[in-house]
Amino acid sequence: MCGIIGYTGDRDTEKVLIEGLKKLEYRGYDSAGIALSGEEEISIYKNEGKVQLLEDRVKEANVAPSFAGIGHTRWATHGKPSQLNSHPHRGKKVVIVHNGIIENYQELKGELAQKGIRPISDTDTEIAALLLDQLYEGDPHAAIFAAIKRLEGSYALGILFTDRPHTIYAVRKDSPLIIGKGQGENFIASDIPAILEYTHDYFLLEEGEMAEITKDNINFYDEKKRPLEKEMLTADWDEQSAMKGGFPHFMVKEINEQPQVVRATLGQYARGGNLFPNQESVFDIKGSIYIVACGSAYHAGLSGKQIIEKMARIPVQVEIASEFRYNNPILRKEDLVVIISQSGETADSLAALRLAKAQGVPTLGIVNVRGSTIAREAATVFYTAAGPEISVATTKAYLCQVALLNLMALKMAEKYISPEELQEKLQQLFSLPTLIKEVLKKESQIKAIAAKFKDAEHLFFIGRGQDYALSCESSLKLKEISYVHSEAYAAGELKHGTISLIEPGTPVVAVMTDRSRIAKTAGNIKEVHARGAIVLCLTHPDVDCSDFADELITLPECSDFIAPIVGAIATQLFAYHIAVARGNDVDKPRNLAKSVTVE
Ligand code: F6R
């Protein structure tokens, strides 16, 4: 989604802004722009397309020195991608950048029209700029607080006033914004990687608070315009981890980081055989578990359901957040609502969390980004230690989520299984880094198979139980970066209609990691193979697929308990290499955004 960066200090403002925007590119965008606040005026440069284009235009323009500036990458919501709709947007005395959606912008637009004020773009953001402009009579605080009283929806705003060239103002609601603190320079940003090159110290701007930022001072005010003291945080992500480190894409770099990040994630909650110390109350579940999430995080939930129900016999319902929030769900106080989110900012997941809290149901967040809204609002948080995930398509965060859910299943099953079985399963989990490395060694084999499938128009992933969950994730991974249409099917369900799509040459990836169901899945594979499908099997080395597998990827020796986690590495690499072979922008697939902060 959209990204914000702001800077005030002695460096070249335009350079800091453009470098910051490049670091935010991973969030997904279709246009970019900056505003530079100089002695005389605020100059705006913006265009549809890449930040690189903006950089070239700014270089050509030979810009005048500036004291402060704000920049933005836009992911279109209101109005198509175009230069006119790009941010920053301006009124006569004010310039803003905005993340989020102003829901009542039509009503505000009508009010402005009655005063003869008309926007030139199609955006909700310009309406907010014009509103603020109307309200500004020399007192920024008064104007900003009056404006946000009128704005409905979500927003993180970076604001410049023409008569205050040294100051940036920032305010937010339901859309994250941080204020970075440097030495003689300060920043605003929608995301930590944008400022890591300059500082690791930052403040989280809370709902309804306003920040006033000059190069030497950061002042915070609450809704009643009273000054606020805020705690400064320090990011423990190093800048290196937000860079490609010699890999051609972030995605493959992140795939390769999985041995370390899975170990780090598990290590936080399993020390000396003691699982989730001091968290007993979270696991005292008398009712059902609802796992609510979006996209890959939802698929992690599907995998978690299989393992939790199998091991701990606690009923688990997995819900798509955008559905759950409007379904008027029947929750009880003895249930547990688990929200899974890498970013911790996904609008629908956050809404689901708030809904559960409003009904007095215990909540747990499984979140990657510390300090994110879901992390702060969930009653309890377990963190995945995936580090910054830059590639839009998640890999390492997903894997950490599934590994953590497996560890949680062990904790829930602690009272039912023997100490020996617990230890054995724990050891299996901690052998994951080694097993993941084994799959990573198969990359050239997987790349060669991907080359054979790269021109497919449609592709099916089939599996049962935990393998259906992995099929869903593998299918999403493939389609989002390769643009090959793909479907995941529960293997036994195929014959109830969808098998009519199978014709000679249709590629089918059969996921078979759950030994208890392999015979059943094999039967389903034979059905598609008999109709001419080209079958790629992903399974254990001791499984005989010679009757139906045209291609085979074998897992390293591992138990069923962890096999879907090990197998995910293979399908991630498969998707990655198909996307690369098709010449796609792997890290920034079209139409997608990293952090989906609008519903
Ligand atoms: C797919 C992907 C998305 C996210 C989804 C939820 O590769 O990354 O499907 O999983 O948008 O995002 P978070 O986990 O940030 O809530």
Side-chain angles (χ1 to χ4, degrees):
M1 298 265 114
C2 310
I4 289 180
I5 176 81
Y7 175 75
T8 172
D10 294 333
R11 299 175 203 256
D12 283 345
T13 311
E14 67 277 14
K15 284 198 184 133
V16 179
L17 296 183
I18 285 173
E19 284 313 308
L21 291 181
K22 285 184 185 165
K23 305 238 167 67
L24 293 170
E25 283 186 296
Y26 75 94
R27 293 167 65 97
Y29 73 106
D30 44 57
S31 36
I34 58 172
L36 302 170
S37 198
E39 199 65 75
E40 308 276 301
E41 56 168 9
I42 300 176
S43 334
I44 293 181
Y45 303 86
K46 57 184 185 176
N47 54 260
E48 186 190 345
K50 297 286 178 198
V51 174
Q52 185 59 55
L53 190 63
L54 177 70
E55 182 173 21
D56 295 345
R57 294 188 50 213
V58 169
K59 271 190 194 144
E60 271 170 31
N62 217 352
V63 300
S66 53
F67 308 113
I70 49 180
H72 191 262
T73 46
R74 173 174 187 254
W75 188 83
T77 56
H78 294 69
K80 64 178 182 179
S82 69
Q83 187 191 31
L84 209 56
N85 288 337
S86 313
H87 300 209
H89 286 282
R90 74 181 322 153
K92 288 198 182 78
K93 300 161 281 186
V94 57
V95 171
I96 71 170
V97 289
H98 164 223
N99 284 1
I101 289 182
I102 307 298
E103 286 168 0
N104 60 335
Y105 86 104
Q106 287 289 15
E107 177 195 330
L108 296 171
K109 189 175 170 180
E111 289 175 19
L112 289 165
Q114 282 176 2
K115 295 180 185 155
I117 302 165
R118 288 182 211 286
I120 53 170
S121 76
D122 305 321
T123 64
D124 52 337
T125 303
E126 191 187 356
I127 301 298
L130 295 174
L131 171 74
L132 188 57
D133 206 50
Q134 273 287 294
L135 295 165
Y136 185 54
E137 287 170 351
D139 179 349
H141 295 205
I144 291 171
F145 282 115
I148 63 176
K149 274 205 184 113
R150 296 296 329 276
L151 298 180
E152 287 169 19
S154 59
Y155 50 82
L157 296 174
I159 306 166
L160 297 172
F161 291 93
T162 41
D163 59 354
R164 314 226 163 206
H166 297 266
T167 312
I168 303 172
Y169 295 85
V171 69
R172 80 165 193 105
K173 176 176 168 270
D174 288 343
S175 192
L177 201 66
I178 59 165
I179 315 298
K181 180 170 170 29
Q183 299 294 325
E185 58 183 0
N186 291 312
F187 305 81
I188 65 170
S190 46
D191 215 349
I192 294 169
I195 59 164
L196 278 182
E197 187 181 341
Y198 312 102
T199 181
H200 283 222
D201 295 333
Y202 67 100
F203 299 92
L204 287 170
L205 195 63
E206 303 284 351
E207 306 269 303
E209 292 175 355
M210 188 197 68
E212 180 183 54
I213 303 135
T214 59
K215 78 186 181 78
D216 296 314
N217 287 307
I218 303 174
N219 296 317
F220 294 100
Y221 300 89
D222 70 9
E223 285 163 13
K224 299 205 165 108
K225 301 185 215 163
R226 293 175 302 210
L228 275 176
E229 285 298 320
K230 285 180 73 76
E231 186 196 350
M232 192 171 76
L233 306 172
T234 302
D236 58 2
W237 292 356
D238 60 22
E239 205 208 328
Q240 217 38 43
S241 60
M243 294 168 79
K244 277 191 206 148
F247 286 92
H249 299 101
F250 280 111
M251 182 173 176
V252 69
K253 175 192 176 235
E254 289 163 6
I255 290 174
N256 277 274
E257 283 170 0
Q258 293 179 113
Q260 300 86 282
V261 297
V262 164
R263 184 188 293 116
T265 298
L266 295 171
Q268 301 174 114
Y269 299 106
R271 292 220 177 88
N274 192 3
L275 303 189
F276 297 92
N278 309 321
Q279 300 287 2
E280 297 304 326
S281 58
V282 180
F283 295 96
D284 183 22
I285 305 154
K286 305 245 165 15
S288 302
I289 298 174
Y290 287 81
I291 299 181
V292 191
C294 304
S296 295
Y298 167 78
H299 298 150
L302 292 179
S303 194
K305 169 187 168 76
Q306 292 291 326
I307 208 77
I308 294 169
E309 289 192 339
K310 188 166 170 181
M311 298 209 54
R313 307 302 295 156
I314 299 173
V316 180
Q317 244 170 272
V318 190
E319 305 270 348
I320 293 171
S322 55
E323 290 292 308
F324 178 85
R325 63 182 291 192
Y326 294 114
N327 275 352
N328 196 6
I330 304 160
L331 300 173
R332 297 160 306 163
K333 305 254 183 298
E334 57 270 31
D335 296 333
L336 173 70
V337 171
V338 180
I339 308 288
I340 306 179
S341 177
Q342 184 284 129
S343 61
E345 302 292 351
T346 302
D348 287 316
S349 306
L350 177 60
L353 170 69
R354 288 179 176 164
L355 181 149
K357 283 179 73 178
Q359 295 190 18
V361 182
T363 55
L364 168 69
I366 296 183
V367 179
N368 193 44
V369 179
R370 283 175 192 266
S372 58
T373 313
I374 294 175
R376 283 180 293 137
E377 294 193 13
T380 308
V381 190
F382 295 156
Y383 287 103
T384 47
E389 193 176 58
I390 307 292
S391 165
V392 166
T394 180
T395 52
K396 60 177 181 167
Y398 165 81
L399 213 76
C400 291
Q401 289 160 357
V402 181
L404 195 52
L405 286 161
N406 277 37
L407 192 69
M408 287 168 59
L410 274 189
K411 176 72 184 170
M412 292 176 207
E414 218 171 20
K415 38 187 185 281
Y416 311 115
I417 60 177
S418 66
E420 291 73 29
E421 185 180 351
L422 183 74
Q423 277 317 310
E424 191 192 326
K425 292 243 161 25
L426 255 183
Q427 270 173 12
Q428 290 170 7
L429 274 179
F430 277 93
S431 70
L432 274 171
T434 312
L435 294 164
I436 294 169
K437 283 184 195 158
E438 289 299 311
V439 187
L440 291 172
K441 284 187 199 150
K442 293 177 187 269
E443 182 170 358
S444 51
Q445 184 213 346
I446 297 170
K447 184 177 173 185
I449 296 175
K452 294 183 191 164
F453 285 73
K454 80 171 181 31
D455 295 320
E457 281 182 22
H458 309 277
L459 204 142
F460 291 87
F461 286 83
I462 61 171
R464 288 169 177 252
Q466 63 186 29
D467 293 328
Y468 172 60
L470 175 53
S471 293
C472 291
E473 173 55 12
S474 306
S475 171
L476 176 63
K477 206 88 309 165
L478 179 71
K479 68 186 142 202
E480 67 181 324
I481 59 169
S482 72
Y483 317 145
V484 174
H485 168 245
S486 162
E487 272 191 58
Y489 246 80
E493 180 66 9
L494 212 55
K495 63 170 98 46
H496 297 286
T498 306
I499 199 165
S500 66
L501 292 173
I502 305 288
E503 54 186 7
T506 308
V508 175
V509 181
V511 184
M512 297 191 292
T513 74
D514 179 351
R515 287 187 169 83
S516 70
R517 304 192 199 195
I518 279 179
K520 298 286 175 207
T521 308
N524 304 130
I525 302 170
K526 285 178 191 160
E527 289 158 5
V528 294
H529 196 245
R531 287 160 178 82
I534 301 190
V535 176
L536 162 61
C537 286
L538 174 65
T539 191
H540 298 278
D542 53 323
V543 176
D544 180 8
C545 321
S546 53
D547 273 1
F548 48 77
D550 298 289
E551 301 289 343
L552 179 65
I553 301 173
T554 51
L555 300 172
E557 289 289 349
C558 62
S559 68
D560 288 12
F561 176 54
I562 50 167
I565 306 178
V566 182
I569 314 299
T571 59
Q572 290 169 352
L573 287 171
F574 179 68
Y576 171 73
H577 281 293
I578 291 190
V580 172
R582 291 171 70 98
N584 294 353
D585 189 351
V586 177
D587 287 332
K588 288 172 251 142
R590 67 186 180 206
N591 305 339
L592 292 183
K594 182 67 185 163
S595 179
V596 185
T597 47
V598 297
E599 62 170 299

